[in-house]
Amino acid sequence: MRFGKEFVSQMIPEWQEAYIDYAYLKTILQDIQASRRVSDSNNQNSSTPSFARNLTRRYNRNALVSENHDIVVNTVTRDEEGLETTAYETTFLKAGEQGGDFEVTFFRNLDREFNKVISFYRLKVEKARTEALALNKQMDALIAFRHKVMDQNQKNPSVFDSVSVDINGLDSEAGSSSNCREHRVALEDVMRNDDTSNESILERIRMNKTREITPLSAIKTILKVHKQDELKFTRENLKEVEKRLQVAFIEFYQKLRHLKNYSFLNASAVSKIMKKYDKIAKRNAAKLYMDMVDRSYLSSSEEVHKLLLKVESIFIEHFSNSNRRQGMSLLRPKINKERFFFGCGVSLIVALGLIIHARNIMGTPGQRTYMETMFPLYRFFGFVVLHMDMYAANIYFWRRYRVNYSFIFGFKQGTELGYRHVLLLSFGLGTLSLCAVLLNLDMEMDAQTKDYRLVTELIPLFLLVLVIAIFLCPFHILYRSSRYFFLSVLFRCIAAPFYAVNLPDFFLGDQLTSQVQALRSLEFYICYYGFGDFRYRRRDTCTSNIGFRTFYFIVAVIPYWLRFLQCIRRMMEDKDLSHGYNAIKYLLTIVAACLRTAYTLNRGTTWNITAWVFSGIATFYGTYWDIVVDWGLLQRGCKNSFLRDKLLVPHKTVYYAAMVLNVLLRLVWLQTVLDLKFSFLHRETMVALLACLEIIRRGIWNFFRLENEHLNNVGRYRAFKTVPLPFNYEEDGDHDN
């Protein structure tokens, strides 16, 4: 891989504007190269004989040392916002030569980019130093807390092998394991110290409140019913403190690694570009310029490296029982292997088609009964598989265009699923579903044949129970952390009014709005198996049941109602009316969905007209919100017509096509009010196809929604999540609240 591509691939996406603009510097080198070609051609046309040029070259060989000083790098002091900062300015000494103006431009831009990198790096290191001091105070509080718990429980102090490691000493040496051990304080040494120091620390701290984790705590927050917080010295609180500090140290360690990588990449980029410059311009300036780079704060500072060693030492000692392998596996988690069942799924699809064709199943008398009973059960899995495939495609393109989706969703590092992981689950579920369909079809579709057996009717239910059991499985198989993350987000969606709404919450809520037919299939599961229709040769009494018809409305409304509540919650918390306008969108959709469902069940001109009106309003409102607000497109005065200034996909036609597709796919409700019918398609098949189109629209929406969120993070250089610390010192209380 060429360095330019490798350089871009290893960038922190949210910091990409803070890196050296390697591509732009290469374009200037191309101008220098073109100028040198013109100069060389002029020299070849000169009348100087070749032997004279050789004599001149030999004569001047001893003068190369003085002539090779093509540049002079000066250190200057600048005043930026009242602070003196060091910057570098390069003077090109041969600007009078042909093409020298291009070389002057090159060094001017190189200096600007390098100074930008140093300023950014210095700022981030300063923030890391501040965070290290805060973590050091947290460790002091943890030590005091541990001693207090030991005293109260009257346990053997040896359970706490050792305590504090100072991470505050940025100027101390930390190069070897023996040096790290010198910073450790053994427990018996601590016990000899005066206990008043621990008591003074405990008097000045209180435990920070965690975000509401239950609906009851949220109700208390709304009603402002609070009890005075007390610092309770229990083992449960100690475990909670250690858990939160562990997460804080892991996140801090990742920041330090990113900073180290940032320094290395930019120094490498300067080295590469200077080597190219020397080769193209036939100069010897790289060594002199790189000497300056090596002496600069970017390359000479050891603060990040020392902090990395100290964090490793503390984490291994206090959060992994001195087990280095375990500690480093937590600090540097490995990526899961990827594999999938694509070939197996394709084989089963082919087998399904051959069986249907060979037995002429679609032409049997039981075809209609099958489509009205078994097909709604199996299509649920088809909807889920299609949605997972779209999500896998989203991940693939997010990675390709460097959208940091794992950070945006808040995935724990090393547990985020790649597109192959999602395809593994998708094709696995698809394979199970197709096997179940093949078993059913093998017994014939006509329920009156002798091959009919009761157990075959239970196959869809067995499959659903199996999928739910796998989803809830507590063992470390099939990506447990991802399954539990999904379940926790789903629970917060269901309890929308009682929880603070984060991006994963409303993102999943939007996915549910595109799975209305899947939810209706679950409703049919309950009716078909709950009322015992499967026992009576695929009898369907659900559609004529008043309760089923009522919940047919409710199920269609639930996802939009949850999103409505999420928007109201965000509006109340953020004091932002834009969330209220978003809530109106979902309210209009609820009304339109109910009217269309009512028209489907009852027919009539009045239902048709009202469904037309509200569906049109909801479609226009939703389309505008998708394109303008969620995607950030159709901005005025931007350099990309009808789009936005920053685009991750290089082809503008992709954005225009996505906008057109979004409009067209949002109009699938027209089939309902126009009552379009096709003789070769069963009504349930038509419903399934329209639901698939909505899932595809949602998949397209997903990519551009996260792209817009990513660009917002890039504009703020926001690449790390904020981790709440367990303790709050009294002197910091005003800043933390």
Side-chain angles (χ1 to χ4, degrees):
M1 182 184 295
R2 292 185 177 181
F3 177 78
K5 292 183 178 180
E6 184 179 358
F7 181 62
V8 172
S9 67
Q10 295 189 26
M11 283 183 180
I12 301 170
E14 289 77 9
W15 291 358
Q16 59 187 6
E17 294 184 359
Y19 285 82
I20 282 184
D21 197 342
Y22 185 80
Y24 177 65
L25 293 174
K26 282 183 65 177
T27 60
I28 302 177
L29 289 183
Q30 292 174 0
D31 295 335
I32 296 175
Q33 187 175 29
S35 176
R36 296 295 298 184
R37 287 173 181 171
V38 174
S39 177
D40 291 343
S41 63
N42 292 336
N43 291 336
Q44 290 177 0
N45 294 331
S46 63
S47 57
T48 306
S50 59
F51 72 90
R53 290 197 298 270
N54 292 334
L55 288 175
T56 303
R57 190 176 295 113
R58 294 192 189 97
Y59 179 80
N60 291 334
R61 183 170 295 174
N62 294 330
L64 284 177
V65 176
S66 60
E67 290 181 356
N68 280 343
H69 286 284
D70 302 316
I71 60 172
V72 174
V73 183
N74 302 309
T75 303
V76 297
T77 303
R78 296 177 179 174
D79 187 5
E80 296 181 359
E81 300 179 356
L83 298 176
E84 290 187 355
T85 59
T86 301
Y88 299 95
E89 292 182 357
T90 303
T91 303
F92 181 60
L93 301 178
K94 299 182 179 180
E97 296 183 1
Q98 184 175 356
D101 53 340
F102 291 112
E103 298 182 59
V104 170
T105 302
F106 171 77
F107 282 107
R108 185 188 304 120
N109 284 277
L110 180 60
D111 290 340
R112 185 186 69 246
E113 293 295 318
F114 187 68
N115 290 327
K116 174 189 72 176
V117 167
I118 290 180
S119 298
F120 183 82
Y121 183 69
R122 193 187 300 273
L123 175 65
K124 291 299 180 182
V125 171
E126 182 63 31
K127 289 183 178 181
R129 186 188 297 114
T130 302
E131 190 169 349
L133 296 176
L135 287 174
N136 184 61
K137 294 173 68 176
Q138 295 289 317
M139 286 299 299
D140 290 338
L142 174 61
I143 296 162
F145 199 96
R146 278 177 171 173
H147 281 295
K148 191 71 174 180
V149 172
M150 284 192 303
D151 293 340
Q152 286 190 352
N153 289 277
Q154 297 180 354
K155 294 289 183 69
N156 185 0
S158 61
V159 295
F160 300 101
D161 296 331
S162 58
V163 290
S164 178
V165 178
D166 184 19
I167 65 171
N168 189 14
L170 295 175
D171 297 328
S172 63
E173 296 295 330
S176 63
S177 58
S178 60
N179 288 334
C180 292
R181 293 192 186 94
E182 293 176 1
H183 292 284
R184 301 174 186 168
V185 182
L187 182 61
E188 52 269 21
D189 294 332
V190 176
M191 296 297 291
R192 285 194 289 265
N193 292 335
D194 189 3
D195 292 337
T196 57
S197 60
N198 288 336
E199 294 294 335
S200 63
I201 293 176
L202 294 177
E203 290 175 357
R204 293 186 293 115
I205 65 171
R206 62 180 176 84
M207 289 193 67
N208 284 327
K209 299 176 183 177
T210 57
R211 215 167 194 179
E212 58 260 34
I213 56 176
T214 63
L216 180 60
S217 61
I219 293 174
K220 290 182 178 180
T221 301
I222 296 173
L223 298 178
K224 299 182 179 179
V225 178
H226 299 293
K227 293 183 179 179
Q228 185 67 30
D229 290 336
E230 297 180 359
L231 192 62
K232 297 181 180 180
F233 302 98
T234 63
R235 284 193 173 273
E236 291 74 17
N237 281 347
L238 177 60
K239 290 180 180 179
E240 178 65 21
V241 167
E242 291 175 338
K243 180 180 178 181
R244 293 170 66 180
L245 266 181
Q246 180 181 8
V247 174
F249 269 95
I250 291 175
E251 188 67 19
F252 182 57
Y253 187 78
Q254 300 308 320
K255 293 179 184 180
L256 296 176
R257 290 186 66 193
H258 282 312
L259 271 176
K260 187 175 182 180
N261 182 62
Y262 176 83
S263 171
F264 173 76
L265 275 181
N266 282 286
S268 300
V270 175
S271 176
K272 288 288 184 180
I273 204 69
M274 285 304 302
K275 289 179 180 178
K276 287 181 177 291
Y277 167 77
D278 278 1
K279 182 178 180 180
I280 291 173
K282 299 179 181 178
R283 307 288 188 189
N284 289 293
K287 185 178 184 304
L288 184 60
Y289 199 90
M290 289 309 300
D291 287 342
M292 178 274 294
V293 172
D294 292 338
R295 293 192 305 269
S296 69
Y297 184 79
L298 182 70
S299 300
S300 62
S301 174
E302 293 290 331
E303 290 175 300
V304 173
H305 179 67
K306 291 178 181 179
L307 279 174
L308 279 169
L309 292 177
K310 291 177 182 294
V311 170
E312 289 177 2
S313 174
I314 294 172
F315 193 87
I316 293 169
E317 183 72 21
H318 297 284
F319 300 106
S320 60
N321 297 322
S322 299
N323 188 326
R324 180 173 181 81
R325 177 177 296 180
Q326 178 184 352
M328 294 307 296
S329 66
L330 292 173
L331 291 173
R332 300 184 180 185
K334 296 180 180 180
I335 299 176
N336 295 323
K337 296 181 180 180
E338 301 178 342
R339 56 189 183 275
F340 50 92
F341 298 127
F342 177 74
C344 187
V346 171
S347 300
L348 287 173
I349 291 175
V350 173
L352 176 62
L354 291 175
I355 289 177
I356 292 175
H357 176 74
R359 298 191 177 186
N360 192 25
I361 290 176
M362 300 308 294
T364 60
Q367 180 263 344
R368 181 176 180 180
T369 304
Y370 184 91
M371 293 301 297
E372 292 178 353
T373 55
M374 303 306 291
F375 181 75
L377 301 175
Y378 283 119
R379 73 182 180 189
F380 167 79
F381 302 103
F383 295 148
V384 174
V385 169
L386 177 59
H387 212 135
M388 294 175 70
D389 289 341
M390 294 301 299
Y391 181 63
N394 290 149
I395 294 176
Y396 173 80
F397 287 107
W398 286 333
R399 285 188 172 182
R400 178 174 179 179
Y401 296 108
R402 299 187 54 74
V403 175
N404 196 353
Y405 71 96
S406 59
F407 167 70
I408 294 174
F409 287 136
F411 294 143
K412 184 179 178 182
Q413 187 180 18
T415 63
E416 67 273 14
L417 299 183
Y419 71 95
R420 289 191 177 93
H421 297 119
V422 179
L423 287 177
L424 166 65
L425 298 174
S426 171
F427 291 140
L429 178 58
T431 300
L432 287 175
S433 304
L434 289 172
C435 287
V437 173
L438 287 173
L439 286 175
N440 258 153
L441 291 180
D442 191 56
M443 304 306 297
E444 295 291 346
M445 295 177 64
D446 190 355
Q448 298 181 2
T449 61
K450 60 180 181 180
D451 289 329
Y452 173 78
R453 294 175 184 173
L454 182 63
V455 68
T456 61
E457 296 298 298
L458 293 174
I459 290 177
L461 182 61
F462 291 154
L463 181 60
L464 180 64
V465 172
L466 176 62
V467 171
I468 295 175
I470 293 175
F471 225 92
L472 300 177
C473 178
F475 302 112
H476 286 277
I477 57 173
L478 290 177
Y479 318 117
R480 189 185 74 163
S481 60
S482 297
R483 289 188 284 111
Y484 278 25
F485 179 85
F486 177 84
L487 290 174
S488 64
V489 174
L490 180 61
F491 178 76
R492 290 198 299 269
C493 286
I494 297 173
F498 305 109
Y499 288 85
V501 181
N502 300 317
L503 188 142
D505 305 328
F506 68 75
F507 188 86
L508 179 59
D510 282 321
Q511 308 308 305
L512 294 178
T513 60
S514 296
Q515 286 287 6
V516 170
Q517 294 302 328
L519 296 177
R520 283 176 169 169
S521 293
L522 289 178
E523 179 194 5
F524 189 75
Y525 264 97
I526 297 173
C527 178
Y528 187 70
Y529 289 106
F531 294 159
D533 286 356
F534 71 99
R535 296 177 180 273
Y536 304 100
R537 298 183 178 181
R538 295 174 182 169
R539 184 183 65 181
D540 180 16
T541 61
C542 294
T543 54
S544 60
N545 185 282
I546 297 177
F548 180 85
R549 290 162 67 92
T550 302
F551 277 96
Y552 200 74
F553 282 87
I554 296 174
V555 167
V557 167
I558 288 175
Y560 299 101
W561 179 249
L562 295 179
R563 283 295 289 121
F564 174 80
L565 293 177
Q566 286 179 336
C567 293
I568 297 299
R569 173 66 189 252
R570 295 187 74 190
M571 183 181 68
M572 299 294 292
E573 283 190 344
D574 301 341
K575 310 297 181 183
D576 188 352
L577 285 178
S578 64
H579 299 307
Y581 300 142
N582 196 17
I584 294 175
K585 178 187 72 173
Y586 293 104
L587 190 61
L588 288 172
T589 307
I590 289 173
V591 176
C594 289
L595 290 173
R596 289 199 300 269
T597 304
Y599 172 71
T600 302
L601 297 176
N602 302 314
R603 301 299 175 180
T605 305
T606 303
W607 290 116
N608 186 276
I609 294 175
T610 53
W612 262 102
V613 173
F614 280 93
S615 295
I617 296 173
T619 299
F620 176 80
Y621 201 116
T623 302
Y624 172 83
W625 199 272
D626 284 347
I627 297 175
V628 178
V629 180
D630 290 339
W631 295 358
L633 302 178
L634 295 180
Q635 293 183 359
R636 295 180 180 179
C638 64
K639 60 183 180 181
N640 300 308
S641 301
F642 302 108
L643 302 177
R644 60 172 115 84
D645 288 331
K646 295 182 179 179
L647 303 174
L648 295 184
V649 182
H651 307 290
K652 298 179 184 179
T653 54
V654 173
Y655 294 90
Y656 296 125
M659 288 190 288
V660 173
L661 276 175
N662 187 74
V663 174
L664 294 178
L665 293 176
R666 270 194 173 272
L667 294 176
V668 296
W669 56 267
L670 285 173
Q671 186 276 336
T672 304
V673 294
L674 293 177
D675 197 21
L676 298 176
K677 295 181 180 179
F678 301 94
S679 59
F680 58 90
L681 285 179
H682 190 274
R683 180 177 60 86
E684 295 296 334
T685 306
M686 176 65 73
V687 171
L689 289 176
L690 296 180
C692 291
L693 291 177
E694 169 59 21
I695 294 172
I696 292 172
R697 186 196 70 82
R698 180 60 61 187
I700 298 172
W701 179 90
N702 289 346
F703 174 82
F704 296 102
R705 176 64 183 88
L706 239 66
E707 180 203 29
N708 191 34
E709 183 71 19
H710 170 77
L711 291 175
N712 291 334
N713 290 339
V714 169
R716 304 168 191 169
Y717 297 106
R718 186 172 57 192
F720 305 100
K721 62 182 179 181
T722 302
V723 179
L725 297 175
F727 297 112
N728 187 16
Y729 281 76
E730 289 183 354
E731 59 266 26
D732 301 330
D734 296 336
H735 301 286
D736 297 337
N737 292 334

